[in-house]
Amino acid sequence: MSTIRDVAKQASVSVATVSRVINQSGYVHIKTKERVEKVIKQLNYQPNDVARSLYKGRSKMVALLVPDIMNPFFPQLARAVEDVASKYGYTFVLCNTDDEKEKELAYLNALRQKSVDGMIIVSSKLSQEDVSDITTPMIALDRKISIDIDLVTVNNQDGAQQAVRFLMQKGCQRIGHICGPENASSSKARLKGYLDVVKNEPWFSSGYIRSGKYGFEAAFEATKKMLTEHPDIDGLFAANDLMAVGALKAAEQLGYRVPDDLSIIGFDGIGIGKATKPAITTMAQPIYEIGATAAEMLITRIQDTTIPITEKELRVKLIERGSTRVS
Amino acid sequence: MSTIRDVAKQASVSVATVSRVINQSGYVHIKTKERVEKVIKQLNYQPNDVARSLYKGRSKMVALLVPDIMNPFFPQLARAVEDVASKYGYTFVLCNTDDEKEKELAYLNALRQKSVDGMIIVSSKLSQEDVSDITTPMIALDRKISIDIDLVTVNNQDGAQQAVRFLMQKGCQRIGHICGPENASSSKARLKGYLDVVKNEPWFSSGYIRSGKYGFEAAFEATKKMLTEHPDIDGLFAANDLMAVGALKAAEQLGYRVPDDLSIIGFDGIGIGKATKPAITTMAQPIYEIGATAAEMLITRIQDTTIPITEKELRVKLIERGSTRVS
DNA sequence: TTGTAGGCGTTATCAA
DNA sequence: TTGATAACGCCTACAA
C-alpha cells in the first residue's frame, strides 16, 4: 500500500499538492495535476480512510442496529439503508443486538470509538438516559427511544385498529391478540389499537392477549396456549407476520382450519407471508421506504446536526390474502 | 470525548503511562495505576479506535460480503459470523453485493481503505486476478474464488446426488433441476451431482435444467416454463430452498398437487422451508456451523497469515418433509 | 518505574 | 501555484 508520500516523491511535489489533487481543493497547476494523477495510477494509490477519519473525526460509516436479523423484516430494512448509505458514499455496518440492552450498549460504545458518523436504531430496551451522552447523530426506527431523537414509524395504532376491524367485518366474534415485546413502542401501539376496538366487547378479557415477543417460536407457543384456554377464538391479530406464521402453524397443529375456523391477520408485509398456505393477510408496512426514509434523515442530520427533531410516520396498508375468511 | 492527554494531565503522569495502564503493558506502579484508572473513570475516557487503527494498521473489524441479504440463508450465516467476531472483540460489517462484480470490487476497496482485518466472501463473480493484489486475510464461503484462498463449503455434489436419488426412491420418473447462477461453484457442483444421477436416463435432456439464479422470482418463472414444456416431470430438485419455494408456488399455480403430482426437494435448510404447506424436503446445510467455522478460520488467519491454505467441507443432511411423496 | 519524542497517513493553515 | 508543518489520538522505542 503506497502512501501520499510515495506519490509526492514520485511526482516530485509535496504531499500538500497531492492532497489537493486528490480532494480537488485549492489551486494546482494543470500540468502538475496531470503528473500527480499519472503517478497515482502508476502506484495504484488509494488514500487511507483511517488516517482521514482520524483527522476529520468522521468515518463515512453509518450503522444499523436491529434486534433480530433473522426476522425478514430487518434484512429488507437493511437493504434499504445500505442502498441509501452507499448512494452517499457511506459504508454500511449492520449490528444484531438480540434485543439485549447489554449488546446494544456495547455496540453504541464500539461504534462511537470508531467514529461512526450516524446510527439507525431499532431498540425496545434503550431509554433516554442511555443515549443522552451520545452526540453521534441517531434515528430511532419502529420503536421510540427518546423525545430528542428523530423517529420513523408507521401508524401502528391506527393500523392495528384497521386489522381488528377487518376481522370483525369478516365475521369474527372473538378476537385474540399475539402482541410483541412489552417495551417496544410499536408493539404497545398495536396493542392499544387492538384494545381500542375490543375492550368494550362483552367477551373480552386479558386472556385474549399473549406475548409472542415478535418471534416465531414464542408466538407458536403463545397461540397454542391461547387457543387451548379460549377455544371460542375465531380471529387472531398477530403484531407481526413472523408471529402470524407461528400462529398459523400452531393453529394447524391443534387441528384448526385456517381461515374457516380461525382467521389470522399479521403486520409487516414480509415475503414469507406469501409462502405459507393459506398466505397471510397482513397490514403491510412500506418496509423499504421506511429504511430509505430513515437513512435519508440520518444523512441530513449528519450534515447538519442543528435541525429540529422530527418524527415521520408512514402508512400501512391492508393486504388481503387467504388467512382470513372471505365474508 | 476526552483523550489520553486529558487523562495524563488529570492524573499528573505522561501519556505513555496512561497507555500502559490501558493496554496492561510494561511496568506501572500499582499506586499510579489506581490513580490513572480513577481518572479514566471520572472522565469516562474511551480510547479512540481510529487512532489505534492508524497506528497499528488494523481495525478490529471483519466483513462479510453476501450476494443477497434477503435470502434467509445469509442472515443466518451473518448471525454466526457476528457471534464469533464479537467473541474475539471484532466489529462485524455486513455488505450486500447483489451478486454484482462491480459492487463486490467497490466493497473490497472500501474495506481495504478502512483497514478491515479480514473478510468472508460469498461470490460467484470474483476470480483469482480480482483478488490477487489483496493482502487482507480472506475466506471464501459456499463458492470458490481462487486456489489460494481458504474455502468453506459443504459436500455439494454428493448432497445433490443424494437429493436426486431420494426423489427416485420415492418413485419419481422424470426429474428436473432448477439450478443456481452458472458461475457459482456451489451451484455448479449441485448441477454436477444432479447430472451424475440422471445423465444416462433415457428420458434425460438439457430441457430438464433451468436456471433460477438462487432466487425466488427467477425460480418461479423457470419452473412454470419447465413444467409447461415437460409436463411429464414428477420430481424437481431445486438448488436452494428459496427456489424450492418458488417452484412450489409455480407448481400450485399450474394446478399441480405437491407432492402427489410433483415432488420437490430443496437445498439449504432455511426456516422458510418449514412455513410452506407442504413443508419443503431439503438437503440441510449446517448454516450456523458453516458461518462459525469460516469466522474462526478467518480469525486464525488474521493472527497468523503464514498458515497454509485450507479447504473445509462440512456435511449436508437430508430432512424429509411434506413436499416429497411418501413412497 | 516513568517520560520524551517520533511516527502511523491525512488534511489544512500559513508562508513563500 | 506550491511547500513546510502542525495537528488528529494513540502506541512504543529509547532514555532517564
Side-chain angles (χ1 to χ4, degrees), chain B residues 192-209:
Chain B
K192 223 183 237 172
Y194 164 76
L195 287 172
D196 288 342
V197 180
V198 305
K199 66 166 177 267
N200 291 323
E201 293 290 326
W203 52 263
F204 176 71
S205 79
S206 67
Y208 285 79
I209 301 170

Side-chain angles (χ1 to χ4, degrees), chain A residues 1 13 28 46 61 63 82 121 125 164 168 184-185 214 220 265 270:
Chain A
M1 289 264 55
V13 293
V28 39
Q46 318 248 165
M61 294 200 303
E82 190 189 28
I121 304 181
K125 298 288 163 52
V164 179
M168 286 179 149
S185 68
Y214 277 162
F220 184 83
I265 187 168
I270 59 180

Side-chain angles (χ1 to χ4, degrees), chain B residues 30-286:
Chain B
I30 176 77
K31 209 68 188 167
T32 44
K33 185 182 163 194
E34 280 165 3
R35 193 154 32 110
V36 169
E37 276 169 345
K38 207 173 116 196
V39 175
I40 287 179
K41 207 153 281 167
Q42 260 176 29
L43 300 182
N44 186 29
Y45 164 72
Q46 319 248 168
N48 180 322
D49 266 351
V50 179
R52 281 185 160 170
S53 295
L54 178 58
Y55 181 83
K56 301 212 171 187
R58 291 181 276 109
S59 65
K60 275 285 181 180
M61 295 200 301
V62 295
L64 172 65
L65 274 67
V66 303
D68 179 14
I69 185 65
M70 313 266 278
N71 179 343
F73 180 82
F74 294 110
Q76 247 178 287
L77 202 66
R79 185 54 212 276
V81 174
E82 189 189 29
D83 281 354
V84 174
S86 71
K87 188 176 92 185
Y88 288 97
Y90 286 81
T91 300
F92 170 72
V93 178
L94 181 69
C95 308
N96 188 60
T97 65
D98 279 332
D99 205 19
E100 289 174 21
K101 187 164 180 172
E102 212 160 307
K103 287 196 189 178
E104 290 173 338
L105 292 172
Y107 267 121
L108 249 41
N109 242 304
L111 294 170
R112 185 172 41 173
Q113 286 177 58
K114 293 205 179 308
S115 298
V116 162
D117 294 353
M119 354 197 206
I120 298 174
I121 303 182
V122 182
S123 166
S124 329
K125 299 287 164 54
L126 294 177
S127 60
Q128 179 125 24
E129 55 262 35
D130 296 318
V131 296
S132 59
D133 60 331
I134 296 183
T135 57
T136 310
M138 288 181 15
I139 311 280
L141 196 155
D142 187 71
R143 311 170 193 189
K144 186 162 190 156
I145 292 177
S146 151
I147 190 141
D148 39 40
I149 292 179
D150 295 308
L151 176 64
V152 179
T153 42
V154 295
N155 52 335
N156 284 303
Q157 187 170 351
D158 174 52
Q161 287 180 14
Q162 284 181 50
V164 179
R165 289 215 184 87
F166 177 78
L167 291 178
M168 287 179 147
Q169 273 169 34
K170 295 299 177 183
C172 295
Q173 312 265 353
R174 298 276 194 287
I175 299 174
H177 178 43
I178 307 292
C179 68
E182 50 190 53
N183 302 311
S185 68
S186 61
S187 166
K188 282 192 277 191
R190 289 170 204 174
L191 171 58
K192 223 183 237 172
Y194 164 76
L195 287 172
D196 288 342
V197 180
V198 305
K199 66 166 177 267
N200 291 323
E201 293 290 326
W203 52 263
F204 176 71
S205 79
S206 67
Y208 285 79
I209 301 170
R210 270 189 181 270
S211 174
K213 298 175 182 172
Y214 277 162
F216 178 93
E217 280 302 334
F220 183 83
E221 297 303 330
T223 303
K224 280 207 294 192
K225 284 207 182 106
M226 196 193 290
L227 291 179
T228 308
E229 284 172 20
H230 295 276
D232 55 340
I233 288 179
D234 58 357
L236 211 46
F237 166 45
N240 75 7
D241 286 345
L242 206 55
M243 296 197 299
V245 177
L248 174 64
K249 291 296 156 185
E252 271 175 7
Q253 200 181 80
L254 295 180
Y256 282 74
R257 286 167 310 157
V258 177
D260 305 306
D261 306 332
L262 178 72
S263 284
I264 298 177
I265 187 167
F267 205 107
D268 277 357
I270 59 180
I272 195 178
K274 281 188 289 192
T276 56
K277 197 153 86 182
I280 306 286
T281 295
T282 189
M283 295 301 309
Q285 303 195 49

Side-chain angles (χ1 to χ4, degrees), chain A residues 46-78:
Chain A
Q46 318 248 165
N48 180 323
D49 266 352
V50 179
R52 279 183 163 171
S53 294
L54 178 58
Y55 184 85
K56 301 210 170 190
R58 291 180 277 111
S59 65
K60 275 284 180 180
M61 294 200 303
V62 295
L64 172 65
L65 274 68
V66 302
D68 179 15
I69 184 66
M70 315 267 276
N71 178 344
F73 180 82
F74 294 110
Q76 248 180 285
L77 203 65

